[in-house]
Amino acid sequence: MAAFHSLFVVCLGVAVLGRVAEGVVGGTPLEPGQWPFLVSLHFKPDHPFTNKTRQRHLCTGTLIRPQWVLTAGHCFDGEEWDGLQKKSNWIVMIGEHNQYKNEGTEQRMRIRKVFRHQNYTARPLLQDLTLLKLKRPAVLSTHVQPIALDTEGRCSEVGANVSVAGWGQIAYRPLGWSMYIPLRVNITVIEQDRCSRGYAAVPDDDPDKAFYAPEEDSVICAGSPSGGRDACLGDSGGPLACYYDNEWHEGAVVSTGYNCGKAEYPGLYTKLSSYLDWIEHTIARH
Ligand SMILES: *[C@@H]1O[C@H](CO)[C@@H](O)[C@H](O)[C@H]1NC(C)=O
Ligand SMILES: *[C@@H]1O[C@H](CO)[C@@H](O)[C@H](O)[C@H]1NC(C)=O
Ligand SMILES: *[C@@H]1O[C@H](CO)[C@@H](O)[C@H](O)[C@H]1NC(C)=O
Ligand SMILES: *[C@@H]1O[C@H](CO)[C@@H](O)[C@H](O)[C@H]1NC(C)=O
């Protein structure tokens, strides 16, 4: 159980709740439609996380084509929690903002087919990607738009200014709640050497240690030098994006991390520039 929770590690935002209420250091709420590519994945059966948060939201994702959603591989890992692998257990909420309200912009979608990366592994978490083909294309609007992929790899350069968003927790509380509106936070891409040195400090007897591979080429580390800005539980699958040519580009997908918002343990992300062919081929063939 503990191991499973650590798969959904990423706290957007801050170490203390008060800061979010004040709208200061960590994440700030997105306005409705501000990131119209953001998708909330609702899991229908009982799950310890959704049980505790009292929301159906379990993972974040992005609309990358009208009929395709990109999210994390571990969100569909039925070996970690039985049922995750089953498409009928999920509802894809597009145009979602406030989880408690019906705002008229939401499109509830069912999944036609789940394509988890063929070489996905949980220990360590690698190739942590899933593509979802929806039963029908989303109807595009001001609140529903696909995001461009960062085909130039600009979001993954060390020092790049990037943003991450999701409905995840604002502090690491495996037994706590998650946010009902999405938060976004600005972070930077961190050198992998530094990131690996930080992760080396995770105690060897911590079962979560097996998830982390910050040294891998297909992984990006991102955070803030002083900590306090990060993704957290429930943000898994969400976008790390950077802004250029007048639009947002998704460069990586929220994967994992040790605790949330600690300077020594930046968030770990799946770098999309390593998987552009897989994404294009999967979409083209189906
Ligand atoms: C969720 O909560 C219900 C009611 O308290 C309980 O019966 C169930 O076992 C819980 N499920 C999980 C997966 O935690
Ligand atoms: C998975 O790994 C195998 C062995 O390394 C490789 O041949 C194959 O191309 C990989 N699959 C994908 C989709 O990358
Ligand atoms: C990121 O933003 C900082 C502060 O605005 C700036 O100094 C830096 O040059 C930016 N980095 C890149 C790679 O654009
Ligand atoms: C985060 O970065 C974006 C894009 O550079 C910028 O528009 C926004 O104002 C920044 N937000 C904060 C809170 O610094």
Side-chain angles (χ1 to χ4, degrees):
M1 196 71 88
F4 179 77
H5 274 142
S6 68
L7 288 178
F8 291 88
V9 160
V10 171
C11 354
L12 242 195
V14 291
V16 255
L17 305 185
R19 288 192 184 156
V20 161
E22 294 159 20
V24 194
V25 183
T28 44
L30 284 167
E31 297 298 323
Q34 200 178 355
W35 263 20
F37 41 81
L38 210 59
V39 168
S40 170
L41 299 177
H42 287 190
F43 188 60
K44 296 197 293 175
D46 269 0
H47 182 283
F49 184 78
T50 57
N51 247 11
K52 297 287 174 9
T53 63
R54 295 170 194 249
Q55 292 180 33
R56 291 285 109 200
H57 172 88
L58 184 59
C59 281
T60 301
T62 52
L63 192 67
I64 60 165
R65 298 288 163 80
Q67 207 168 349
W68 289 86
V69 166
L70 179 63
T71 185
H74 70 260
C75 294
F76 287 81
D77 184 347
E79 290 180 16
E80 295 295 328
W81 184 261
D82 189 39
L84 290 178
Q85 76 285 3
K86 216 173 149 197
K87 63 183 182 180
S88 59
N89 282 340
W90 293 88
I91 292 175
V92 179
M93 297 295 293
I94 298 176
E96 177 63 286
H97 180 68
N98 185 332
Q99 300 273 356
Y100 292 144
K101 279 197 199 161
N102 188 344
E103 294 159 295
T105 54
E106 302 89 347
Q107 296 178 36
R108 293 165 66 87
M109 297 284 187
R110 307 308 301 261
I111 297 169
R112 176 168 293 164
K113 195 154 186 215
V114 176
F115 299 90
R116 197 176 69 185
H117 194 285
Q118 292 87 334
N119 293 343
Y120 161 87
T121 59
R123 291 176 186 74
L125 266 170
L126 289 173
Q127 287 74 244
D128 190 10
L129 295 176
T130 297
L131 277 166
L132 303 173
K133 183 166 194 191
L134 306 176
K135 284 203 172 158
R136 57 190 164 89
V139 177
L140 304 187
S141 70
T142 51
H143 290 74
V144 175
Q145 288 291 327
I147 186 173
L149 299 183
D150 174 34
T151 50
E152 299 175 17
R154 280 165 68 170
C155 308
S156 39
E157 287 165 11
V158 171
N161 293 314
V162 297
S163 305
V164 58
W167 284 267
Q169 297 187 327
I170 58 173
Y172 181 65
R173 284 165 200 224
L175 305 183
W177 38 277
S178 67
M179 282 301 288
Y180 64 100
I181 47 169
L183 299 183
R184 181 174 72 179
V185 72
N186 290 346
I187 52 178
T188 47
V189 176
I190 289 170
E191 285 159 36
Q192 279 180 290
D193 280 356
R194 206 181 110 202
C195 187
S196 299
R197 283 197 300 276
Y199 271 88
V202 176
D204 286 333
D205 61 358
D206 190 317
D208 291 354
K209 186 154 183 149
F211 296 130
Y212 314 127
E215 69 287 353
E216 288 285 333
D217 284 344
S218 60
V219 171
I220 299 181
C221 299
S224 74
S226 50
R229 284 188 268 145
D230 198 1
C232 203
L233 301 178
D235 292 322
S236 284
L240 176 151
C242 61
Y243 193 80
Y244 59 85
D245 295 347
N246 299 314
E247 62 176 338
W248 287 98
H249 295 78
E250 182 169 4
V253 172
V254 175
S255 177
T256 187
Y258 189 59
N259 209 305
C260 304
K262 303 277 186 220
E264 324 82 281
Y265 310 116
L268 303 179
Y269 296 80
T270 306
K271 189 203 280 185
L272 289 184
S273 57
S274 304
Y275 299 101
L276 294 172
D277 286 350
W278 175 74
I279 293 170
E280 292 310 324
H281 289 160
T282 305
I283 292 176
R285 286 195 200 118
H286 300 96

